[in-house]
Amino acid sequence: MKHPTSRMLHAYWERLRGERAAPERSEIEPGEIRHLLADSLILELDMATRSATVRLAGTRVCALYGRELKGETFASLWGAEAPDPWRIVDIVASDTLGVVAGLRGLNTAGEAVDLELLLLPLRHRGRMQVRALGTLSLDSTPHWIGLRPLVEAETTSLRILPGRRMEAAPPARSALRGPAGFPGPVRRGHLLVHAGGRA
C-alpha cells in the first residue's frame, strides 16, 4: 500500500477484526476514522447476481466523479464494461482477503490521475459476503479535480493482501531441567526466561 489513507484504514480494520476473518459493519466507529471518511467507500454485495452497489461514498470520492455515487454500481467507477470490478469484489468476498489496486482515472478532457483502491471484507449482522469497506485515494491532486470529473478508469495493478496466519503452539518444555536442579527456561511472550540463583 502506497497511500497513507490505505495504510491507516487497513491498520484500523486489522485492529477491529482481531483473530476473525473480518470485523462487523456495526463495529466501525466513524469518529475513529473521521480523517479517512472523505476517501471511504462501503459496498453492498450480491454474490448471486455478481453485483456490488455503493452504499456510502466519501465527499472526495464523489468530487472525483462529479456526482453522488450512493446507489450506483461499483463498476461505474471504471465507466466502461470491465471485468476488474467484479474480480476485485469476488476476491474480497469469496476469499475473505483485502485487495489493493492501482487505477488510472481519466476525466472528460482525457487528463489522467493515479488512484489507489483498498477493499476489505466486512461482516454484516454475522453474515459474510454482503459488505466491503474501502478507500479510493489520489496519489496527487491535479488542478482540475472538482472541475472536470472522472469518466472512466483502468486497473494498472492488483495486489492481494496476505491473510492471517495462525501461529503454531510452542513445543512443551515440562521435561526440561536446567543446570544445578533449576527448572528449564520458561517462555514469557517473546522472551525466554532462565531461572537463576541470587548473586
Side-chain angles (χ1 to χ4, degrees):
M1 285 172 279
K2 298 177 185 175
H3 203 282
T5 300
S6 301
R7 292 195 297 270
M8 287 187 284
L9 183 66
H10 184 257
Y12 177 71
W13 177 85
E14 282 278 15
R15 180 169 62 81
L16 285 183
R17 77 167 174 157
E19 295 300 316
R20 299 169 297 172
E24 275 282 345
R25 163 66 182 92
S26 61
E27 294 176 284
I28 305 294
E29 288 291 341
E32 292 185 30
I33 54 169
R34 59 187 170 278
H35 49 291
L36 308 178
L37 294 178
D39 298 311
S40 297
L41 291 165
I42 291 184
L43 304 182
E44 181 176 351
L45 314 181
D46 187 335
M47 303 301 285
T49 62
R50 295 172 55 93
S51 65
T53 305
V54 177
R55 283 191 61 90
L56 180 146
T59 53
R60 267 197 294 265
V61 179
C62 291
L64 280 173
Y65 287 87
R67 63 187 189 274
E68 173 60 60
L69 295 172
K70 182 178 180 179
E72 293 198 16
T73 65
F74 181 54
S76 70
L77 301 183
W78 277 255
E81 289 295 322
D84 297 339
W86 181 253
R87 182 171 60 152
I88 292 168
V89 168
D90 193 33
I91 292 167
V92 170
S94 299
D95 299 330
T96 323
L97 294 170
V99 171
V100 179
L103 305 181
R104 167 69 51 98
L106 291 174
N107 69 12
T108 50
E111 296 163 306
V113 65
D114 291 323
L115 307 158
E116 183 170 85
L117 170 72
L118 169 69
L119 204 60
L120 303 163
L122 278 181
R123 293 178 189 273
H124 183 59
R125 298 175 183 163
R127 295 169 52 217
M128 294 294 294
Q129 301 186 342
V130 289
R131 293 288 188 275
L133 170 69
T135 54
L136 185 63
S137 311
L138 285 164
D139 281 351
S140 61
T141 309
H143 69 279
W144 49 264
I145 290 294
L147 300 172
R148 293 187 285 278
L150 297 183
V151 291
E152 63 181 276
E154 65 172 331
T155 307
T156 56
S157 65
L158 186 64
R159 180 170 167 254
I160 300 171
L161 300 176
R164 184 172 299 287
R165 292 193 183 108
M166 299 304 289
E167 293 184 19
R173 297 180 173 269
S174 58
L176 293 178
R177 301 294 289 179
F182 288 113
V186 176
R187 184 163 297 280
R188 298 274 189 254
H190 68 282
L191 301 174
L192 200 57
V193 180
H194 294 267
R198 297 178 181 217

